[in-house]
């Protein structure tokens, strides 16, 4: 029993007082921020029902003495009579439209680099480009290697090239297929 109390009371040592003060201040700020965010959300969109699952998951983290522990420097925001102008609504709509466009663009780029499982490892037909390169091949890589490895950059580049050639030779000989990848989110 005595060992258990010693293990449980290590954190109450006076050496950690400053840490716990900082922790209490951070948690008080977090609670104030969460309440202000909640009030702003309710003012803009109405009461939040149903709540987000993540909020329910951490509901037990809330302190019971929330209101008593907050300091006098707490900033209360009354957003009940806040008006949202038409310009702000248009800005939010445009921002949301931009997010959707970016999301579609990222999905398209992801789809472009997707390789079907029944294609060869080096089936370059799905990735071919007609435009000539903008700079000499390997020039940027050589400069980066020179910066990283100095005099030994050429040795390391040669070792990398030998390893890549061995890999490509084995791919040409054995013609491996991609392992089918099934996403975890079905």
């Amino acid at each position: 029993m005595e060992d258990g109390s010693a293990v449980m009371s290590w954190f109450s040592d006076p050496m950690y007082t400053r840490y716990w003060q900082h922790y209490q201040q951070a948690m008080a700020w977090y609670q104030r921020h969460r309440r202000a965010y909640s009030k702003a959300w309710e003012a803009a969109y109405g009461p939040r029902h149903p709540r987000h699952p993540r909020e329910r998951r951490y509901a037990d983290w809330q302190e019971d003495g929330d209101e008593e522990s907050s300091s006098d420097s707490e900033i209360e925001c009354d957003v009940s009579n806040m008006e949202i102008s038409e310009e702000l609504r248009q800005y939010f709509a445009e921002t949301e439209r931009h997010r959707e466009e970016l999301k579609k663009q990222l999905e398209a780029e992801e789809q472009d680099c997707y390789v079907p499982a029944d294609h060869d490892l080096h089936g370059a037909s799905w990735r071919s480009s007609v435009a000539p390169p903008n700079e000499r091949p390997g020039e940027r890589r050589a400069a980066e290697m020179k910066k990283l490895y100095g005099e030994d950059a050429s040795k390391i580049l040669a070792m990398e090239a030998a390893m890549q050639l061995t890999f490509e030779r084995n791919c040409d000989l054995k013609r491996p297929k991609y392992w089918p990848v099934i996403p975890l989110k079905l």
Side-chain angles (χ1 to χ4, degrees):
M1 187 72 119
E2 200 171 50
D3 292 336
S5 65
V7 170
M8 292 300 288
S9 65
W10 66 266
F11 52 84
S12 61
D13 191 283
M15 175 172 67
Y16 298 112
T17 304
R18 185 172 172 162
Y19 168 80
W20 289 115
Q21 288 173 346
H22 182 267
Y23 175 81
Q24 291 300 329
Q25 289 173 347
M27 288 307 292
W29 175 87
Y30 168 73
Q31 294 297 331
R32 288 192 310 268
H33 173 74
R34 190 178 53 77
R35 281 195 304 270
Y37 179 82
S38 179
K39 287 179 184 179
W41 182 273
E42 287 176 6
Y45 302 107
R48 290 192 292 175
H49 298 289
R51 290 185 156 233
H52 195 277
R54 191 174 3 166
E55 291 176 7
R56 277 180 292 183
R57 182 185 316 161
Y58 300 118
D60 59 339
W61 285 20
Q62 298 173 10
E63 295 179 15
D64 294 333
D66 233 2
E67 272 59 51
E68 294 87 33
S69 67
S70 60
S71 65
D72 294 336
S73 65
E74 179 177 323
I75 300 173
E76 287 291 326
C77 299
D78 182 21
V79 292
S80 58
N81 61 355
M82 182 177 163
E83 293 183 23
I84 298 177
S85 67
E86 189 58 35
E87 291 175 347
L88 187 58
R89 288 181 195 273
Q90 288 175 355
Y91 171 76
F92 287 150
E94 186 176 339
T95 302
E96 189 61 32
R97 202 169 38 251
H98 285 223
R99 283 185 186 148
E100 290 297 323
E101 289 173 6
L102 181 61
K103 185 178 178 182
K104 288 178 184 177
Q105 181 182 6
L106 290 174
E107 287 174 357
E109 288 175 4
E110 186 177 303
Q111 193 66 24
D112 287 345
C113 66
Y114 173 76
V115 179
D118 59 344
H119 282 75
D120 296 22
L121 185 61
H122 289 286
S125 61
W126 50 271
R127 243 200 266 174
S128 62
S129 173
V130 200
N134 294 339
E135 56 188 32
R136 289 179 41 205
E139 188 175 322
R140 181 181 299 168
R141 177 83 173 133
E144 289 173 357
M145 294 295 281
K146 185 74 171 171
K147 183 178 176 184
L148 285 172
Y149 301 111
E151 299 173 0
D152 297 331
S154 59
K155 291 179 189 176
I156 294 174
L157 275 171
M159 288 190 287
E160 286 182 358
M163 187 180 291
Q164 184 66 38
L165 288 172
T166 303
F167 174 78
E168 289 176 359
R169 185 183 69 223
N170 286 328
C171 285
D172 289 341
L173 290 173
K174 299 181 179 170
R175 312 292 278 156
K177 301 284 184 198
Y178 275 122
W179 186 261
V181 177
I182 300 171
L184 296 176
K185 296 179 183 178
L186 297 177

